[in-house]
Amino acid sequence: QVRLVESGGGSVQAGGSLRLSCEASGITDSRNCMAWFRQVPGKGREGVAAMSSTSTWKYYGDSSVKGRFTISRDSATSVSLQMNSLKPEDTAMYYCAVSFELCATISHSDENVYSYWGQGTQVTVST
């Protein structure tokens, strides 16, 4: 059974930083694509970033996070998201997800291509 657990969320003031981490267990295929999504109440999940297990392929979903967020992989079973210069509009529940398809072959911002999800970690950015 694959399980993903996020950590690192919290409350910060605008301009601050947070680092989210996601650890997966039960993964037997070292080739995978792990991603971060975020969701605010009343809206669907938005793809934030995705990265291949080989670290050769990286994707950022929205232009508003480019240059501020950095996705990284420490291993085939973990993914992190360094978030700098946070803005109130970054406030959301952040989820990590894993797909066993190659990152380069999937529609990385489509939540339906990801097989397993974590429970989410809340990020709140105040003015």
Side-chain angles (χ1 to χ4, degrees):
Q1 182 75 12
V2 175
R3 183 169 178 247
L4 296 124
V5 179
E6 302 98 335
S7 62
S11 297
V12 296
Q13 289 191 326
S17 299
L18 284 173
R19 184 177 180 84
L20 306 183
S21 296
C22 175
E23 294 285 340
S25 59
I27 288 182
T28 57
D29 190 347
S30 61
R31 297 178 304 169
N32 56 66
C33 184
M34 293 189 78
W36 288 98
F37 282 73
R38 63 186 180 185
Q39 186 175 28
V40 297
K43 292 189 176 182
R45 286 176 178 170
E46 172 193 21
V48 176
M51 191 167 185
S52 63
S53 54
T54 57
S55 299
T56 55
W57 193 94
K58 193 181 296 187
Y59 159 82
Y60 292 98
D62 189 272
S63 59
S64 69
V65 307
K66 289 180 181 178
R68 299 189 299 121
F69 291 9
T70 303
I71 190 170
S72 61
R73 300 287 304 264
D74 293 327
S75 72
T77 58
S78 66
V79 63
S80 297
L81 186 70
Q82 178 67 41
M83 304 186 296
N84 299 327
S85 301
L86 282 161
K87 303 175 182 180
E89 51 264 43
D90 295 318
T91 295
M93 184 71 78
Y94 283 72
Y95 299 89
C96 73
V98 64
S99 168
F100 296 110
E101 303 293 332
L102 296 176
C103 267
T105 65
I106 64 173
S107 179
H108 28 65
S109 60
D110 180 357
E111 60 181 290
N112 295 308
V113 306
Y114 295 91
S115 305
Y116 297 94
W117 292 81
Q119 293 299 306
T121 185
Q122 178 68 37
V123 170
T124 303
V125 185
S126 59
T127 56

PDB file of all heavy atoms in Angstrom, residues 94-119:
ATOM      1  N   TYR A  94      -1.836  22.174   0.651  1.00  0.00           N
ATOM      2  CA  TYR A  94      -0.880  21.644  -0.308  1.00  0.00           C
ATOM      3  C   TYR A  94      -0.827  20.126  -0.198  1.00  0.00           C
ATOM      4  O   TYR A  94      -0.699  19.580   0.907  1.00  0.00           O
ATOM      5  CB  TYR A  94       0.507  22.243  -0.053  1.00  0.00           C
ATOM      6  CG  TYR A  94       0.626  23.666  -0.561  1.00  0.00           C
ATOM      7  CD1 TYR A  94      -0.019  24.710   0.093  1.00  0.00           C
ATOM      8  CD2 TYR A  94       1.363  23.970  -1.709  1.00  0.00           C
ATOM      9  CE1 TYR A  94       0.069  26.022  -0.371  1.00  0.00           C
ATOM     10  CE2 TYR A  94       1.465  25.269  -2.184  1.00  0.00           C
ATOM     11  CZ  TYR A  94       0.810  26.286  -1.514  1.00  0.00           C
ATOM     12  OH  TYR A  94       0.908  27.576  -1.987  1.00  0.00           O
ATOM     13  N   TYR A  95      -0.903  19.475  -1.353  1.00  0.00           N
ATOM     14  CA  TYR A  95      -0.904  18.028  -1.418  1.00  0.00           C
ATOM     15  C   TYR A  95       0.264  17.538  -2.278  1.00  0.00           C
ATOM     16  O   TYR A  95       0.589  18.158  -3.291  1.00  0.00           O
ATOM     17  CB  TYR A  95      -2.188  17.512  -2.073  1.00  0.00           C
ATOM     18  CG  TYR A  95      -3.459  17.856  -1.358  1.00  0.00           C
ATOM     19  CD1 TYR A  95      -4.148  19.040  -1.634  1.00  0.00           C
ATOM     20  CD2 TYR A  95      -3.999  16.979  -0.418  1.00  0.00           C
ATOM     21  CE1 TYR A  95      -5.323  19.353  -0.987  1.00  0.00           C
ATOM     22  CE2 TYR A  95      -5.188  17.282   0.236  1.00  0.00           C
ATOM     23  CZ  TYR A  95      -5.836  18.467  -0.045  1.00  0.00           C
ATOM     24  OH  TYR A  95      -7.013  18.772   0.595  1.00  0.00           O
ATOM     25  N   CYS A  96       0.836  16.418  -1.889  1.00  0.00           N
ATOM     26  CA  CYS A  96       1.772  15.764  -2.790  1.00  0.00           C
ATOM     27  C   CYS A  96       1.088  14.552  -3.394  1.00  0.00           C
ATOM     28  O   CYS A  96       0.144  13.996  -2.817  1.00  0.00           O
ATOM     29  CB  CYS A  96       3.081  15.402  -2.114  1.00  0.00           C
ATOM     30  SG  CYS A  96       3.016  14.036  -0.964  1.00  0.00           S
ATOM     31  N   ALA A  97       1.563  14.175  -4.555  1.00  0.00           N
ATOM     32  CA  ALA A  97       0.969  13.073  -5.299  1.00  0.00           C
ATOM     33  C   ALA A  97       2.056  12.361  -6.084  1.00  0.00           C
ATOM     34  O   ALA A  97       3.112  12.927  -6.366  1.00  0.00           O
ATOM     35  CB  ALA A  97      -0.104  13.593  -6.242  1.00  0.00           C
ATOM     36  N   VAL A  98       1.782  11.121  -6.453  1.00  0.00           N
ATOM     37  CA  VAL A  98       2.749  10.345  -7.218  1.00  0.00           C
ATOM     38  C   VAL A  98       2.061   9.658  -8.395  1.00  0.00           C
ATOM     39  O   VAL A  98       0.936   9.162  -8.278  1.00  0.00           O
ATOM     40  CB  VAL A  98       3.488   9.313  -6.338  1.00  0.00           C
ATOM     41  CG1 VAL A  98       2.540   8.263  -5.779  1.00  0.00           C
ATOM     42  CG2 VAL A  98       4.617   8.643  -7.118  1.00  0.00           C
ATOM     43  N   SER A  99       2.752   9.680  -9.518  1.00  0.00           N
ATOM     44  CA  SER A  99       2.340   8.938 -10.700  1.00  0.00           C
ATOM     45  C   SER A  99       3.477   8.011 -11.080  1.00  0.00           C
ATOM     46  O   SER A  99       4.644   8.376 -10.965  1.00  0.00           O
ATOM     47  CB  SER A  99       2.052   9.894 -11.859  1.00  0.00           C
ATOM     48  OG  SER A  99       1.911   9.182 -13.072  1.00  0.00           O
ATOM     49  N   PHE A 100       3.140   6.817 -11.536  1.00  0.00           N
ATOM     50  CA  PHE A 100       4.163   5.874 -11.965  1.00  0.00           C
ATOM     51  C   PHE A 100       4.381   5.929 -13.474  1.00  0.00           C
ATOM     52  O   PHE A 100       5.020   5.045 -14.033  1.00  0.00           O
ATOM     53  CB  PHE A 100       3.829   4.477 -11.461  1.00  0.00           C
ATOM     54  CG  PHE A 100       3.846   4.421  -9.962  1.00  0.00           C
ATOM     55  CD1 PHE A 100       2.675   4.278  -9.248  1.00  0.00           C
ATOM     56  CD2 PHE A 100       5.029   4.566  -9.271  1.00  0.00           C
ATOM     57  CE1 PHE A 100       2.684   4.262  -7.853  1.00  0.00           C
ATOM     58  CE2 PHE A 100       5.050   4.551  -7.880  1.00  0.00           C
ATOM     59  CZ  PHE A 100       3.874   4.395  -7.179  1.00  0.00           C
ATOM     60  N   GLU A 101       3.867   6.961 -14.081  1.00  0.00           N
ATOM     61  CA  GLU A 101       4.203   7.263 -15.462  1.00  0.00           C
ATOM     62  C   GLU A 101       5.369   8.251 -15.461  1.00  0.00           C
ATOM     63  O   GLU A 101       5.648   8.908 -14.468  1.00  0.00           O
ATOM     64  CB  GLU A 101       2.994   7.893 -16.175  1.00  0.00           C
ATOM     65  CG  GLU A 101       1.746   7.045 -16.150  1.00  0.00           C
ATOM     66  CD  GLU A 101       1.891   5.774 -16.952  1.00  0.00           C
ATOM     67  OE1 GLU A 101       2.679   5.776 -17.921  1.00  0.00           O
ATOM     68  OE2 GLU A 101       1.195   4.793 -16.634  1.00  0.00           O
ATOM     69  N   LEU A 102       6.049   8.343 -16.591  1.00  0.00           N
ATOM     70  CA  LEU A 102       7.148   9.296 -16.696  1.00  0.00           C
ATOM     71  C   LEU A 102       6.598  10.717 -16.696  1.00  0.00           C
ATOM     72  O   LEU A 102       5.613  11.012 -17.350  1.00  0.00           O
ATOM     73  CB  LEU A 102       7.949   9.045 -17.969  1.00  0.00           C
ATOM     74  CG  LEU A 102       8.666   7.705 -18.064  1.00  0.00           C
ATOM     75  CD1 LEU A 102       9.331   7.554 -19.421  1.00  0.00           C
ATOM     76  CD2 LEU A 102       9.681   7.546 -16.950  1.00  0.00           C
ATOM     77  N   CYS A 103       7.262  11.575 -15.980  1.00  0.00           N
ATOM     78  CA  CYS A 103       6.842  12.967 -15.904  1.00  0.00           C
ATOM     79  C   CYS A 103       6.687  13.593 -17.288  1.00  0.00           C
ATOM     80  O   CYS A 103       5.758  14.360 -17.537  1.00  0.00           O
ATOM     81  CB  CYS A 103       7.882  13.799 -15.136  1.00  0.00           C
ATOM     82  SG  CYS A 103       7.582  13.961 -13.372  1.00  0.00           S
ATOM     83  N   ALA A 104       7.610  13.244 -18.176  1.00  0.00           N
ATOM     84  CA  ALA A 104       7.614  13.870 -19.497  1.00  0.00           C
ATOM     85  C   ALA A 104       6.459  13.401 -20.378  1.00  0.00           C
ATOM     86  O   ALA A 104       6.179  14.028 -21.401  1.00  0.00           O
ATOM     87  CB  ALA A 104       8.933  13.593 -20.203  1.00  0.00           C
ATOM     88  N   THR A 105       5.765  12.344 -19.972  1.00  0.00           N
ATOM     89  CA  THR A 105       4.720  11.792 -20.830  1.00  0.00           C
ATOM     90  C   THR A 105       3.321  12.077 -20.324  1.00  0.00           C
ATOM     91  O   THR A 105       2.348  11.754 -20.993  1.00  0.00           O
ATOM     92  CB  THR A 105       4.893  10.271 -20.981  1.00  0.00           C
ATOM     93  OG1 THR A 105       4.683   9.651 -19.708  1.00  0.00           O
ATOM     94  CG2 THR A 105       6.270   9.933 -21.506  1.00  0.00           C
ATOM     95  N   ILE A 106       3.203  12.672 -19.171  1.00  0.00           N
ATOM     96  CA  ILE A 106       1.879  12.892 -18.604  1.00  0.00           C
ATOM     97  C   ILE A 106       1.514  14.365 -18.628  1.00  0.00           C
ATOM     98  O   ILE A 106       2.353  15.241 -18.800  1.00  0.00           O
ATOM     99  CB  ILE A 106       1.796  12.379 -17.144  1.00  0.00           C
ATOM    100  CG1 ILE A 106       2.755  13.175 -16.246  1.00  0.00           C
ATOM    101  CG2 ILE A 106       2.081  10.893 -17.088  1.00  0.00           C
ATOM    102  CD1 ILE A 106       2.613  12.847 -14.772  1.00  0.00           C
ATOM    103  N   SER A 107       0.235  14.598 -18.476  1.00  0.00           N
ATOM    104  CA  SER A 107      -0.233  15.969 -18.296  1.00  0.00           C
ATOM    105  C   SER A 107      -0.088  16.280 -16.822  1.00  0.00           C
ATOM    106  O   SER A 107      -0.984  16.025 -16.024  1.00  0.00           O
ATOM    107  CB  SER A 107      -1.701  16.080 -18.737  1.00  0.00           C
ATOM    108  OG  SER A 107      -2.172  17.402 -18.538  1.00  0.00           O
ATOM    109  N   HIS A 108       1.065  16.824 -16.455  1.00  0.00           N
ATOM    110  CA  HIS A 108       1.478  16.894 -15.066  1.00  0.00           C
ATOM    111  C   HIS A 108       0.569  17.732 -14.182  1.00  0.00           C
ATOM    112  O   HIS A 108       0.606  17.598 -12.971  1.00  0.00           O
ATOM    113  CB  HIS A 108       2.909  17.432 -14.993  1.00  0.00           C
ATOM    114  CG  HIS A 108       3.249  18.319 -16.148  1.00  0.00           C
ATOM    115  ND1 HIS A 108       2.627  19.508 -16.357  1.00  0.00           N
ATOM    116  CD2 HIS A 108       4.105  18.154 -17.185  1.00  0.00           C
ATOM    117  CE1 HIS A 108       3.113  20.059 -17.459  1.00  0.00           C
ATOM    118  NE2 HIS A 108       3.995  19.273 -17.994  1.00  0.00           N
ATOM    119  N   SER A 109      -0.214  18.605 -14.771  1.00  0.00           N
ATOM    120  CA  SER A 109      -1.121  19.422 -13.971  1.00  0.00           C
ATOM    121  C   SER A 109      -2.510  18.804 -13.866  1.00  0.00           C
ATOM    122  O   SER A 109      -3.404  19.393 -13.239  1.00  0.00           O
ATOM    123  CB  SER A 109      -1.229  20.823 -14.566  1.00  0.00           C
ATOM    124  OG  SER A 109      -1.728  20.763 -15.880  1.00  0.00           O
ATOM    125  N   ASP A 110      -2.698  17.626 -14.444  1.00  0.00           N
ATOM    126  CA  ASP A 110      -3.973  16.927 -14.387  1.00  0.00           C
ATOM    127  C   ASP A 110      -3.962  15.982 -13.193  1.00  0.00           C
ATOM    128  O   ASP A 110      -3.223  15.005 -13.173  1.00  0.00           O
ATOM    129  CB  ASP A 110      -4.190  16.153 -15.686  1.00  0.00           C
ATOM    130  CG  ASP A 110      -5.501  15.405 -15.698  1.00  0.00           C
ATOM    131  OD1 ASP A 110      -6.237  15.434 -14.686  1.00  0.00           O
ATOM    132  OD2 ASP A 110      -5.806  14.792 -16.731  1.00  0.00           O
ATOM    133  N   GLU A 111      -4.777  16.273 -12.208  1.00  0.00           N
ATOM    134  CA  GLU A 111      -4.730  15.468 -10.981  1.00  0.00           C
ATOM    135  C   GLU A 111      -5.123  14.021 -11.242  1.00  0.00           C
ATOM    136  O   GLU A 111      -4.765  13.137 -10.481  1.00  0.00           O
ATOM    137  CB  GLU A 111      -5.638  16.073  -9.920  1.00  0.00           C
ATOM    138  CG  GLU A 111      -7.094  16.165 -10.301  1.00  0.00           C
ATOM    139  CD  GLU A 111      -7.916  16.799  -9.193  1.00  0.00           C
ATOM    140  OE1 GLU A 111      -8.078  16.141  -8.148  1.00  0.00           O
ATOM    141  OE2 GLU A 111      -8.394  17.921  -9.370  1.00  0.00           O
ATOM    142  N   ASN A 112      -5.827  13.757 -12.335  1.00  0.00           N
ATOM    143  CA  ASN A 112      -6.283  12.393 -12.594  1.00  0.00           C
ATOM    144  C   ASN A 112      -5.167  11.438 -12.992  1.00  0.00           C
ATOM    145  O   ASN A 112      -5.363  10.225 -12.972  1.00  0.00           O
ATOM    146  CB  ASN A 112      -7.361  12.406 -13.685  1.00  0.00           C
ATOM    147  CG  ASN A 112      -8.606  13.132 -13.240  1.00  0.00           C
ATOM    148  OD1 ASN A 112      -9.150  12.842 -12.176  1.00  0.00           O
ATOM    149  ND2 ASN A 112      -9.060  14.084 -14.031  1.00  0.00           N
ATOM    150  N   VAL A 113      -4.008  11.952 -13.355  1.00  0.00           N
ATOM    151  CA  VAL A 113      -2.918  11.057 -13.751  1.00  0.00           C
ATOM    152  C   VAL A 113      -2.116  10.572 -12.552  1.00  0.00           C
ATOM    153  O   VAL A 113      -1.249   9.719 -12.695  1.00  0.00           O
ATOM    154  CB  VAL A 113      -1.981  11.734 -14.775  1.00  0.00           C
ATOM    155  CG1 VAL A 113      -2.774  12.245 -15.964  1.00  0.00           C
ATOM    156  CG2 VAL A 113      -1.180  12.855 -14.136  1.00  0.00           C
ATOM    157  N   TYR A 114      -2.395  11.108 -11.400  1.00  0.00           N
ATOM    158  CA  TYR A 114      -1.668  10.716 -10.190  1.00  0.00           C
ATOM    159  C   TYR A 114      -2.461   9.654  -9.430  1.00  0.00           C
ATOM    160  O   TYR A 114      -3.656   9.813  -9.209  1.00  0.00           O
ATOM    161  CB  TYR A 114      -1.386  11.937  -9.318  1.00  0.00           C
ATOM    162  CG  TYR A 114      -0.459  12.909 -10.010  1.00  0.00           C
ATOM    163  CD1 TYR A 114      -0.961  13.936 -10.800  1.00  0.00           C
ATOM    164  CD2 TYR A 114       0.923  12.771  -9.904  1.00  0.00           C
ATOM    165  CE1 TYR A 114      -0.110  14.811 -11.463  1.00  0.00           C
ATOM    166  CE2 TYR A 114       1.778  13.636 -10.564  1.00  0.00           C
ATOM    167  CZ  TYR A 114       1.256  14.656 -11.342  1.00  0.00           C
ATOM    168  OH  TYR A 114       2.095  15.510 -12.007  1.00  0.00           O
ATOM    169  N   SER A 115      -1.742   8.618  -9.033  1.00  0.00           N
ATOM    170  CA  SER A 115      -2.417   7.459  -8.455  1.00  0.00           C
ATOM    171  C   SER A 115      -2.635   7.571  -6.958  1.00  0.00           C
ATOM    172  O   SER A 115      -3.601   7.017  -6.424  1.00  0.00           O
ATOM    173  CB  SER A 115      -1.583   6.200  -8.740  1.00  0.00           C
ATOM    174  OG  SER A 115      -1.330   6.060 -10.115  1.00  0.00           O
ATOM    175  N   TYR A 116      -1.715   8.217  -6.278  1.00  0.00           N
ATOM    176  CA  TYR A 116      -1.791   8.282  -4.817  1.00  0.00           C
ATOM    177  C   TYR A 116      -1.563   9.715  -4.349  1.00  0.00           C
ATOM    178  O   TYR A 116      -0.773  10.458  -4.944  1.00  0.00           O
ATOM    179  CB  TYR A 116      -0.756   7.358  -4.182  1.00  0.00           C
ATOM    180  CG  TYR A 116      -0.986   5.906  -4.512  1.00  0.00           C
ATOM    181  CD1 TYR A 116      -0.327   5.314  -5.586  1.00  0.00           C
ATOM    182  CD2 TYR A 116      -1.875   5.134  -3.756  1.00  0.00           C
ATOM    183  CE1 TYR A 116      -0.552   3.988  -5.912  1.00  0.00           C
ATOM    184  CE2 TYR A 116      -2.092   3.806  -4.079  1.00  0.00           C
ATOM    185  CZ  TYR A 116      -1.432   3.244  -5.152  1.00  0.00           C
ATOM    186  OH  TYR A 116      -1.644   1.933  -5.476  1.00  0.00           O
ATOM    187  N   TRP A 117      -2.239  10.035  -3.260  1.00  0.00           N
ATOM    188  CA  TRP A 117      -2.197  11.389  -2.715  1.00  0.00           C
ATOM    189  C   TRP A 117      -1.964  11.366  -1.210  1.00  0.00           C
ATOM    190  O   TRP A 117      -2.373  10.427  -0.526  1.00  0.00           O
ATOM    191  CB  TRP A 117      -3.531  12.092  -2.972  1.00  0.00           C
ATOM    192  CG  TRP A 117      -3.777  12.374  -4.411  1.00  0.00           C
ATOM    193  CD1 TRP A 117      -4.251  11.491  -5.355  1.00  0.00           C
ATOM    194  CD2 TRP A 117      -3.589  13.606  -5.094  1.00  0.00           C
ATOM    195  NE1 TRP A 117      -4.348  12.112  -6.575  1.00  0.00           N
ATOM    196  CE2 TRP A 117      -3.952  13.421  -6.439  1.00  0.00           C
ATOM    197  CE3 TRP A 117      -3.146  14.867  -4.687  1.00  0.00           C
ATOM    198  CZ2 TRP A 117      -3.873  14.435  -7.389  1.00  0.00           C
ATOM    199  CZ3 TRP A 117      -3.077  15.883  -5.629  1.00  0.00           C
ATOM    200  CH2 TRP A 117      -3.438  15.657  -6.960  1.00  0.00           C
ATOM    201  N   GLY A 118      -1.331  12.421  -0.730  1.00  0.00           N
ATOM    202  CA  GLY A 118      -1.223  12.604   0.702  1.00  0.00           C
ATOM    203  C   GLY A 118      -2.470  13.293   1.243  1.00  0.00           C
ATOM    204  O   GLY A 118      -3.380  13.639   0.483  1.00  0.00           O
ATOM    205  N   GLN A 119      -2.488  13.488   2.547  1.00  0.00           N
ATOM    206  CA  GLN A 119      -3.636  14.098   3.201  1.00  0.00           C
ATOM    207  C   GLN A 119      -3.610  15.619   3.152  1.00  0.00           C
ATOM    208  O   GLN A 119      -4.625  16.259   3.411  1.00  0.00           O
ATOM    209  CB  GLN A 119      -3.696  13.647   4.668  1.00  0.00           C
ATOM    210  CG  GLN A 119      -3.995  12.162   4.826  1.00  0.00           C
ATOM    211  CD  GLN A 119      -5.334  11.806   4.238  1.00  0.00           C
ATOM    212  OE1 GLN A 119      -6.355  12.386   4.573  1.00  0.00           O
ATOM    213  NE2 GLN A 119      -5.341  10.825   3.333  1.00  0.00           N
TER     214      GLN A 119
END
